[in-house]
Amino acid sequence: MRFLRVSLALLLTGLSAFSLFSCGKQEETGALRVGVMYSSDVIPLAVMKNQKLDEKHGVNLEMQIFSSAKDRDAALQAGELDGVFTDFVGICIYQNAGLDVKITGMTDGDYLLLAGPGTGITSLAGAAGGRIAISENTLIEYALDTILTQEGYTPDYLRKELVPRIPDRLEMLRAGGVELCLLPEPFATIAKRDGAALLGSANAAGLYPAVSAFTRDAIREKADLIKKLYSAYDEAVDYINETPVSEFESMVIESAGFPEELAGGIELPVFRKNALPSERDLAAAIAWASRKGLCDAALTPKSLLGRLS
């Protein structure tokens, strides 16, 4: 338990420190206010700020990191943000709530299915009936159902235990309160470092549900700035993909919350340059969300996309 407590303490400390860094410089002209959650998909934004690529491309990114989706969404609804890093299911829920937010790009968040140390589970085939900690009616549940379906199982193949907070899920996995968990980074890396076995992931199942999105008003009033932001994002992606992690690992630890204990062992995915998700993928998410009562089944993929040209 000591490693977990220390890791989570460092994680939350890093979050607070980077939030202050991100919000310290606030310019009215050319600013885009983007709300993000604590995840590895913020790394391109951190590189962008660290190397002043946003300023190079003529935009000031004001990145605000939130510890909960509820707080992020409240800030968005209050008009305090121009855009957010969210996911397919989140976009459907926004539309259902009358909040017109459009997807303008994709990010590279993954969600890993893990079996706890000591369970003896090394594959999905050996996990039948296992208890898995998830959050209900969220991307986490959608990703889990997608992974199970992709592997030929039904959504009830595992017993879903509803645990809203990600740190609580991680602690339950480690303590044996559940056999399985679906976690984003850096929580997944913490679990693997502690002996959890990797059984699958959203990306491995062909699901890339993490997106960047802006309000309709922001797209109408700040389209040129958003395009400049994505140009800076693409340059940051090139840097990440072409540079050894060791050269910017300290920034990853500070901005994405990887614990200091993982220094020297952090692995990053190959980040993709910005693009829109496919309408087929969006249609699948809408169908799932509508079955859960999270949005109208009449919602269309086109209505979720915001084109900047």
Side-chain angles (χ1 to χ4, degrees):
M1 293 299 293
R2 180 180 178 277
F3 172 75
L4 176 65
R5 291 185 181 126
V6 171
S7 296
L8 292 179
L10 287 170
L11 182 152
L12 294 173
T13 299
L15 166 63
S16 299
F18 194 73
S19 296
L20 290 173
F21 166 77
S22 301
C23 301
K25 178 179 179 183
Q26 303 230 348
E27 298 177 3
E28 293 297 325
T29 304
L32 281 176
R33 305 162 299 168
V34 179
V36 301
M37 292 287 290
Y38 196 64
S39 175
S40 60
D41 62 357
V42 306
I43 293 173
L45 298 186
V47 169
M48 189 192 306
K49 290 301 295 183
N50 181 266
Q51 300 190 359
K52 298 184 178 181
L53 297 178
D54 55 338
E55 296 177 16
K56 173 183 174 181
H57 287 269
V59 59
N60 175 35
L61 168 64
E62 295 179 4
M63 181 169 64
Q64 300 180 33
I65 303 180
F66 294 86
S67 59
S68 74
K70 181 179 179 181
D71 291 342
R72 178 201 62 196
D73 295 347
L76 181 67
Q77 191 160 18
E80 297 169 3
L81 299 172
D82 297 307
V84 291
F85 272 28
T86 183
D87 57 76
F88 292 165
V89 177
I91 291 291
C92 291
I93 293 173
Y94 289 157
Q95 292 292 331
N96 196 54
L99 192 57
D100 199 1
V101 180
K102 306 291 189 184
I103 297 170
T104 49
M106 291 188 293
T107 65
D108 283 292
D110 198 4
Y111 306 85
L112 281 61
L113 178 59
L114 301 160
T119 63
I121 299 173
T122 58
S123 68
L124 263 177
R131 296 166 299 166
I132 180 166
I134 65 163
S135 52
E136 186 180 27
N137 293 338
T138 65
L139 173 63
I140 293 293
E141 187 177 14
Y142 177 54
L144 173 62
D145 289 356
T146 300
I147 292 169
L148 292 175
T149 301
Q150 185 75 11
E151 293 297 320
Y153 303 105
T154 59
D156 60 357
Y157 178 72
L158 302 174
R159 287 184 291 159
K160 298 174 180 178
E161 300 274 345
L162 305 183
V163 183
R165 296 184 67 252
I166 294 174
D168 292 343
R169 289 177 229 156
L170 176 58
E171 186 167 359
M172 287 182 69
L173 183 73
R174 192 172 186 274
V178 292
E179 288 77 42
L180 305 110
C181 202
L182 191 67
L183 295 170
E185 294 289 9
F187 297 93
T189 292
I190 295 172
K192 288 190 292 182
R193 174 71 173 262
D194 202 44
L198 177 63
L199 307 186
S201 77
N203 289 178
L207 178 63
Y208 293 84
V211 298
S212 52
F214 287 85
T215 66
R216 181 179 61 179
D217 288 345
I219 292 172
R220 182 176 62 248
E221 299 167 7
K222 301 182 178 183
D224 287 343
L225 286 178
I226 297 171
K227 286 189 280 188
K228 290 175 181 179
L229 182 74
Y230 284 131
S231 294
Y233 182 94
D234 287 348
E235 187 170 346
V237 164
D238 282 338
Y239 173 85
I240 294 167
N241 291 340
E242 297 169 2
T243 307
V245 177
S246 58
E247 294 191 19
F248 60 98
E249 190 175 53
S250 60
M251 183 176 59
V252 171
I253 290 171
E254 180 183 19
S255 64
F258 285 87
E260 292 280 356
E261 294 97 322
L262 299 182
I266 294 175
E267 297 181 3
L268 298 180
V270 175
F271 284 88
R272 299 166 300 164
K273 291 188 176 182
N274 191 60
L276 289 173
S278 72
E279 292 189 14
R280 181 189 63 182
D281 290 344
L282 285 175
I286 291 170
W288 183 89
S290 64
R291 288 196 299 271
K292 292 285 187 177
L294 304 177
C295 69
D296 191 327
L299 203 62
T300 66
K302 289 185 185 299
S303 69
L304 301 184
L305 295 173
R307 303 184 185 276
L308 301 171
S309 56

